[in-house]
Amino acid sequence: MVRQIRFIGILATSALLTAGGLRVADALPPWLLGTPRGFVVYDTLAEATRDLRTRLLVPAFFPSDLAWPPARIVRAPGEGRPSLVAFTDQRTGAERLLVAQCVDGDCEFPPELLAPLENAPVRRILSGGFEADLAVSTSSAWREVRGERLGRRVIVRFEGDETTLLRMARSLHREGS
Amino acid sequence: MVTLHDLAAQLLLHSLTSALVVEALIRRLPIADPSTRVRYRTLVLVLPVLLLPLAWAFPERLSVASWHRMLFFSPAWDDVQIAGVGLRTAGLAVAAVLGLALFARDLGREVHVWRRDHDAVRLGPRAPLDDENIPRAARTMAERAGTPVPLIYLVDTPHPVLSCHGVWRPRIAISRSLAAMLTPPQLETAIAHEVAHIARRDVLTHWLLLGLRAVQWFNPIAHLIARRLGQELEWRADDDAVRMTGSAVPLVKALVASARARGAEFLGLLGRGRIHAVEERCRRLLNPRPDEPLPAGHYAWTSAALVGLLWFVV
């Protein structure tokens, strides 16, 4: 019996130490880069669809100065599967449109996925039947609408004018549908 | 999309994990019996290869999210760049080069031994077996080991050659120079060692190991484990030979004489390793470590723990 307990103890310790050591090693690059572990990065919307088993919302109205396909598709860990689709400017390559959404309806967006918009007073708007909060940054050209679209909590953040932002937010649909 | 590159990386990670756990067990318990060691090392070689195709039976396992949850698979590993190459890609490339180098070296040695054996078989029947000690020792040892008497082939080479071959028709190749160099008790114990390999079907094990290594040629951990396993097969045959002859000293003397005769073969980059291996064999023959008995079901426990660790944790 003592031999059995000793064996299981050594086996469990070896397995735990190995797993622990490898986990610490695995945590180093995300820690160095400041990106939390558990974020899933997809190469394409099709890959995200396959993995999430649902289509992500993207705007049907798409200004010609933005580049298609999305530059970044990320899913954060946590309840509600918070996800982000980012589009860049055709010319500069900088991100100009971010569509954050809760795949399962409601969720909190972690700041590593979508940092809060600073210095942005919020007002309630109703635009073409779409009721949402509009936040306009006073210190940058970014603005965002926060609301619910097709049963999902969404935040559409855009570096540009309000009319285009609202048109994009209203036109959100399941990609491919 | 999960790529071949990802699968190779997973196999590498599984090999590393199981090798670390098994090495810790062998050292901490400790496991001195070469047979048990061989079984544990085989587990390290086989388990990652068996687990990989199982992923297809569980499609969830192949999803990107599930893949990213595995250790060393987060995109951050490729975000850390060295000279424009992601850390994960660079690590895999280095592992593959190392793996290929180790495999190519050992495969080259295998080909060399196979050719030497082939020549021995071709020349053997014509070479007169002038030393009666060799067939007598082979007969006695085969009777003690309970195996059919192996065929003996004499090799005409100045190198000290003594090895067993043949999966279905066991045969022992011995060089005339070695037969002349060893005393009758040394020759008897050396033949006993080869008979022990035959009785344990080590030639088949050897080829199966080579096949497993070929499947994971890019995996340096598998090659290092297989080399270690090869040494432990030798230890096991040594122990069997000592049991058959009743004394370790002639085998130690035969090992030292053979190593001395190799001379030039033992020089070079790997020479130190070979000398160390012979020294280690001699040391453990002269000072055998008492083996603590392991509890019943130890192998099943370890296998289950490793499967759980590889499937659910890493």
Side-chain angles (χ1 to χ4, degrees):
Chain A
M1 190 63 187
V2 174
R3 206 185 302 147
Q4 189 96 24
I5 291 170
R6 183 171 171 266
F7 173 78
I8 291 173
I10 291 176
L11 176 62
T13 314
S14 309
L16 286 174
L17 284 179
T18 304
L22 290 171
R23 277 198 178 273
V24 168
D26 182 48
L28 283 178
W31 177 72
L32 286 172
L33 296 167
T35 316
R37 180 87 172 75
F39 276 61
V40 179
V41 180
Y42 302 105
D43 290 334
T44 61
L45 281 169
E47 193 177 89
T49 303
R50 266 199 306 277
D51 185 48
L52 298 167
R53 296 190 185 167
T54 183
R55 291 183 168 127
L56 288 172
L57 300 183
V58 289
F61 171 72
F62 200 74
S64 58
D65 54 349
L66 292 180
W68 181 271
R72 199 158 58 94
I73 308 161
V74 187
R75 197 197 73 171
E79 287 289 304
R81 296 192 285 173
S83 304
L84 180 89
V85 185
F87 298 91
T88 52
D89 189 279
Q90 287 266 26
R91 199 168 47 83
T92 63
E95 284 187 357
R96 275 191 60 206
L97 172 65
L98 307 172
V99 182
Q101 55 200 285
C102 301
V103 174
D104 296 332
D106 197 18
C107 66
E108 290 297 320
F109 294 110
E112 297 88 355
L113 184 75
L114 186 72
L117 193 62
E118 302 288 341
N119 305 319
V122 182
R123 64 186 157 93
R124 195 81 183 150
I125 55 148
L126 179 66
S127 166
F130 177 48
E131 198 178 352
D133 289 331
L134 174 69
V136 180
S137 170
T138 53
S139 54
S140 69
W142 286 91
R143 57 196 75 216
E144 69 183 28
V145 283
R146 305 165 191 162
E148 197 189 302
R149 205 72 190 136
L150 301 170
R152 289 181 190 174
R153 193 178 157 212
V154 293
I155 297 178
V156 183
R157 186 179 292 178
F158 179 57
E159 191 184 27
D161 64 278
E162 194 173 307
T163 314
T164 311
L165 169 64
L166 289 173
R167 284 186 72 180
M168 286 194 290
R170 280 201 310 267
S171 74
L172 283 178
H173 73 300
R174 286 196 166 88
E175 185 273 333
S177 62
Chain B
M1 178 88 173
V2 174
T3 59
L4 271 177
H5 177 263
D6 290 329
L7 293 174
Q10 197 197 27
L11 196 133
L12 209 60
L13 175 63
H14 282 183
S15 277
L16 176 68
T17 310
S18 40
L20 286 173
V21 172
V22 163
E23 196 59 43
L25 276 180
I26 286 176
R27 283 166 192 266
R28 296 295 301 150
L29 281 169
I31 302 173
D33 174 37
S35 287
T36 316
R37 280 175 171 236
V38 164
R39 288 175 70 198
Y40 272 79
R41 302 244 191 244
T42 308
L43 193 64
V44 175
L45 284 175
V46 171
L47 209 53
V49 178
L50 284 184
L51 278 184
L52 208 57
L54 257 189
W56 271 269
F58 300 88
E60 182 58 30
R61 182 91 184 160
L62 290 173
S63 73
V64 177
S66 154
W67 212 255
H68 280 205
R69 271 196 297 274
M70 290 176 204
L71 295 186
F72 304 101
F73 277 82
S74 86
W77 276 95
D78 258 343
D79 290 344
V80 181
Q81 306 242 319
I82 300 169
V85 182
L87 204 56
R88 184 164 164 264
T89 309
L92 275 175
V94 169
V97 169
L98 265 177
L100 188 60
L102 285 169
F103 184 54
R105 208 209 158 273
D106 290 354
L107 193 66
R109 199 176 138 74
E110 288 301 327
V111 171
H112 167 73
V113 170
W114 182 84
R115 284 184 61 178
R116 189 189 64 195
D117 178 42
H118 182 76
D119 289 346
V121 171
R122 196 162 46 82
L123 294 170
R126 272 172 295 194
L129 213 55
D130 42 14
D131 190 345
E132 246 315 293
N133 284 325
I134 302 172
R136 195 188 313 121
R139 244 189 337 268
T140 315
M141 294 309 145
E143 272 167 24
R144 285 184 195 169
T147 55
V149 182
L151 293 170
I152 307 279
Y153 289 105
L154 275 176
V155 190
D156 276 317
T157 164
H159 301 294
V161 172
L162 179 58
S163 51
C164 64
H165 306 270
V167 174
W168 312 119
R169 284 189 311 126
R171 51 196 188 272
I172 293 173
I174 181 165
S175 66
R176 214 180 279 276
S177 57
L178 186 74
M181 186 197 311
L182 299 180
T183 62
Q186 289 171 8
L187 196 61
E188 184 181 64
T189 192
I191 295 277
H193 173 96
E194 297 309 321
V195 169
H197 276 310
I198 291 167
R200 296 272 194 179
R201 298 188 71 78
D202 284 347
V203 179
L204 178 63
T205 308
H206 181 80
W207 287 113
L208 291 176
L209 274 179
L210 203 65
L212 263 176
R213 292 178 68 178
V215 170
Q216 33 190 335
W217 59 267
F218 50 87
N219 182 357
I221 298 154
H223 299 309
L224 293 175
I225 294 290
R227 281 181 168 197
R228 191 73 196 157
L229 204 155
Q231 278 182 20
E232 280 153 3
L233 289 177
E234 294 302 321
W235 292 4
R236 188 168 72 175
D238 285 349
D239 290 355
D240 288 348
V242 170
R243 266 193 292 274
M244 281 189 255
T245 57
S247 172
V249 178
L251 184 57
V252 171
K253 284 184 174 169
L255 278 171
V256 173
S258 163
R260 274 198 188 136
R262 283 184 190 179
E265 201 186 316
F266 270 57
L267 294 175
L269 191 64
L270 296 169
R272 273 180 104 73
R274 289 204 192 109
I275 290 168
H276 178 73
V278 172
E279 281 174 353
E280 203 175 355
R281 276 173 77 180
C282 296
R283 229 189 337 265
R284 63 175 298 284
L285 278 168
L286 295 173
N287 304 301
R289 260 177 35 195
D291 193 33
E292 273 190 45
L294 291 167
H298 65 94
Y299 196 64
W301 274 103
T302 309
S303 308
L306 276 179
V307 169
L309 191 65
L310 299 185
W311 193 261
F312 297 108
V313 183
V314 301

